[in-house]
Each structure stands twice: as structure tokens, then as C-alpha cells.
Amino acid sequence: MNQLTPKDWILIKQRLTPYLFLLPALIILGLTVFWPALQAFYLSFTSYENITQPPQWIGTTNFLRLWKDVVFWQTLENTFLYLVGVVPILVMAPLGLAILVNQKLRGMNWFRSAYYTPVVISMVVAGIAWKWLYADNGLLNQFLKTLGLFPEGIPWLTSPAKLFGIVPISLASVMAVTVWKGLGYYMVIYLAGLQSIPVDVYEAAAIDGSDGIRKHWDITVPLMKPYLALVAVISAISATKVFEEVYIMTQGGPLNSSKTIVYYLYEQAFSNLEISYACTIGLVLFLIILGLSVLRLVINQQEDNNITV
């Protein structure tokens, strides 16, 4: 057997050093993320309603129950509607704001701060404030009554009726809060991308006749595709995991019209104490988010390949 030379020991040390720096973080992640995730995966195949007793293996019973659960499918539908209603707005509207605040005009820093302010506000505070605005005698209904449009007001958070027969009014009201709070965050991402585009490109395009709004369609949008894809995936994952807005403003009501999959998971785990069933719902949520994350990686890889070519 060959003995290791001092040069070999140096190479081994160089290769192990980065992992030694990562070891504390890996231990913390293992104890707080990976191990609980494995436990949740195991509990989804067990019955663990009585936390004083050890879990009992029941196989796929929880998954069969989930398949027949009408409320689960309703929450899944609500989550999908949340994605469709929120993500397109959070992809396009912040880009328009970023183009607006990227102009070199006096007082533009103030506008940047104003648009970003909702991001730093706690969701609890924002949810309570918007709940007051949506109240029957709140500011929005008082304004509508003053205009004479809706003399009786609109039951923003208390009506299961659907707008255009698609989205419940209560769910759409919660969506508005998510959009309001996310505009500034995604605007900053787009702003970083816009400031990386050379001014010479726009000047050359102006010579060719591409100016005004058209230059953004011809130049800004194509060059911002990686940022558009990033924001689309991030906002989709965030919309899938929405919880605070629903918990503070509607608590899933009325008649489950605003209940999302994460809130349903919380309800089963902490209100009904059905831990195993909640873990089953969590596993489905994990698969959905995993699919969105893989989609993000595929999109990023395609963008990298296009840049390389």
C-alpha cells in the first residue's frame, strides 16, 4: 500500500477545508430542515392523531382519504386561482414600475422608497389594515357609497360569490393584498436588471427608429427575459405557499372560498390535531413546489444555453 506523501496531505486538506466550513451549517440544516422533512414523510403513512401514543403504520390510507377529500380539492383549486390571478400581475406590473423609477428625474428616489415601503411592512400589520379597509363600514365601501356605485357596499371578505363566475370575492380581495405587498420587491429585481442594460443599446435603437414605448418592447423585454422567468417562478412559489394573508383576513372563509392548501394544512395540524393527515397534505405541497423549482432550473439552464450560443 502506497504511503501518502506530504503533497497528498496538502491536497486532501485543500479539498476538505471548504466542507469543514460548511459543516456547522449542514448540521443545523440537517436538524431543523432535513430530519423534520423525513419525519413528516414517514408520518404521512401513519396514524398519529394521539400524540401521546407512537404512530401506527397505515400505508396509503391518508392518500386515499386525501383523494376523496372535497375540501382539499377546493383548496387546491383556490391555490391554482391564486397562482393565475397573482403571478401574471406580479410579473408585468413591477416591470412597468421599474421602467418608471429608472428614469433620471428629480425626486425619483422618493418614488422608489414609496413603492418599496409595503415590502418592509409586516404582513400582520398590512393584513389588519386591509381588513379595516375591506370592512362593511370601511374606507373602500364608504368611498363606493359616496360615488353612488354600490349603496349597500361590497362584502369584500364575507361573500363566497364569484367574480365573473371564476374567483370568489373573498379570495380576490386577499389576492389584492399579495399584489400590493409584492410589487416593490419584484420592482427592485427588475430595476437591477434594467440598470445592467447599456445605454448605448437604446441609443442605437433610437437611430433605427425604435424609441418611446416601442424601445422597451424591442430591447427591454428581450434582455429582461431571465429576470422575467425568475420573478415568475419566485412569485408562483410564494403564491402557492400563501398563508398569512388568509389567516389574518378571512381564516379560509366564508364556506372555504378563500382557503388555500397551506392554510388547510395548518388547520388540520393545529386545529384538528390530525398530524398525519397534515403531513400528507404537506407532501403534496412539497411536490408542487418541487415541480416549480425544477421548472425554474430548466428555464435558467435554457437561458444560459442561449447566452452561450
Side-chain angles (χ1 to χ4, degrees):
M1 182 176 180
N2 297 330
Q3 293 184 350
L4 295 176
T5 63
K7 185 177 181 181
D8 295 331
W9 282 110
I10 293 174
L11 290 175
I12 293 173
K13 183 179 179 180
Q14 289 176 345
R15 292 179 180 179
L16 289 180
T17 299
Y19 295 100
L20 291 176
F21 280 106
L22 290 174
L23 186 60
L26 291 175
I27 293 174
I28 294 174
L29 285 174
L31 294 176
T32 60
V33 178
F34 300 128
W35 177 244
L38 291 174
Q39 284 187 314
F41 177 77
Y42 168 74
L43 289 175
S44 63
F45 295 93
T46 65
S47 176
Y48 194 43
E49 279 64 44
N50 187 357
I51 59 176
T52 62
Q53 301 293 330
Q56 297 179 352
W57 182 268
I58 57 174
T60 59
T61 302
N62 287 326
F63 293 92
L64 295 175
R65 175 186 172 185
L66 195 67
W67 180 260
K68 300 177 182 178
D69 190 347
V70 177
V71 178
F72 167 75
W73 290 107
Q74 185 176 358
T75 59
L76 196 62
E77 179 184 356
N78 290 341
T79 303
F80 175 75
L81 291 174
Y82 217 95
L83 283 171
V84 175
V86 168
V87 173
I89 299 176
L90 288 179
V91 170
M92 300 309 300
L95 179 59
L97 287 178
I99 293 173
L100 178 64
V101 301
N102 195 39
Q103 307 298 320
K104 295 181 179 179
L105 299 175
R106 180 179 296 179
M108 194 55 67
N109 289 333
W110 184 89
F111 281 101
R112 293 179 183 178
S113 301
Y115 288 131
Y116 192 77
T117 299
V119 179
V120 300
I121 295 176
S122 169
M123 179 52 73
V124 176
V125 175
I128 293 174
W130 276 89
K131 191 174 182 179
W132 287 344
L133 291 174
Y134 282 138
D136 293 337
N137 58 347
L139 183 61
L140 289 178
N141 278 331
Q142 292 297 332
F143 179 71
L144 293 174
K145 291 176 183 178
T146 303
L147 295 178
L149 297 177
F150 295 92
E152 298 180 358
I154 298 177
W156 299 101
L157 301 177
T158 58
S159 174
K162 294 185 177 181
L163 290 172
F164 310 109
I166 301 175
V167 183
I169 295 176
S170 57
L171 188 64
S173 300
V174 178
M175 288 180 187
V177 179
T178 301
V179 171
W180 171 79
K181 200 161 187 321
L183 284 175
Y185 177 76
Y186 299 115
M187 179 197 71
V188 172
I189 296 177
Y190 285 139
L191 189 59
L194 288 174
Q195 293 180 349
S196 66
I197 300 176
V199 180
D200 299 342
V201 178
Y202 290 109
E203 294 176 351
I207 296 174
D208 294 335
S210 179
D211 203 358
I213 298 177
R214 183 179 174 183
K215 70 179 180 181
H216 296 299
W217 183 257
D218 295 336
I219 298 173
T220 304
V221 173
L223 293 179
M224 291 289 289
K225 281 185 178 180
Y227 296 91
L228 289 167
L230 175 65
V231 169
V233 176
I234 293 177
S235 59
I237 294 175
S238 299
T240 304
K241 299 188 297 182
V242 65
F243 172 77
E244 293 95 337
E245 298 95 312
V246 177
Y247 178 79
I248 295 167
M249 300 176 66
T250 65
Q251 294 190 344
L255 301 177
N256 301 323
S257 60
S258 63
K259 186 176 293 184
T260 60
I261 188 170
V262 174
Y263 186 85
Y264 189 48
L265 186 156
Y266 160 82
E267 188 178 61
Q268 292 297 321
F270 298 100
S271 297
N272 301 335
L273 295 180
E274 296 195 16
I275 307 299
S276 298
Y277 193 54
C279 291
T280 307
I281 300 172
L283 180 58
V284 174
L285 178 64
F286 166 75
L287 294 176
I288 295 174
I289 296 176
L290 178 63
L292 293 173
S293 301
V294 171
L295 177 62
R296 175 187 173 184
L297 292 175
V298 171
I299 293 174
N300 289 344
Q301 186 176 6
Q302 291 177 350
E303 294 294 337
D304 293 340
N305 292 336
N306 292 335
I307 294 174
T308 304
V309 173

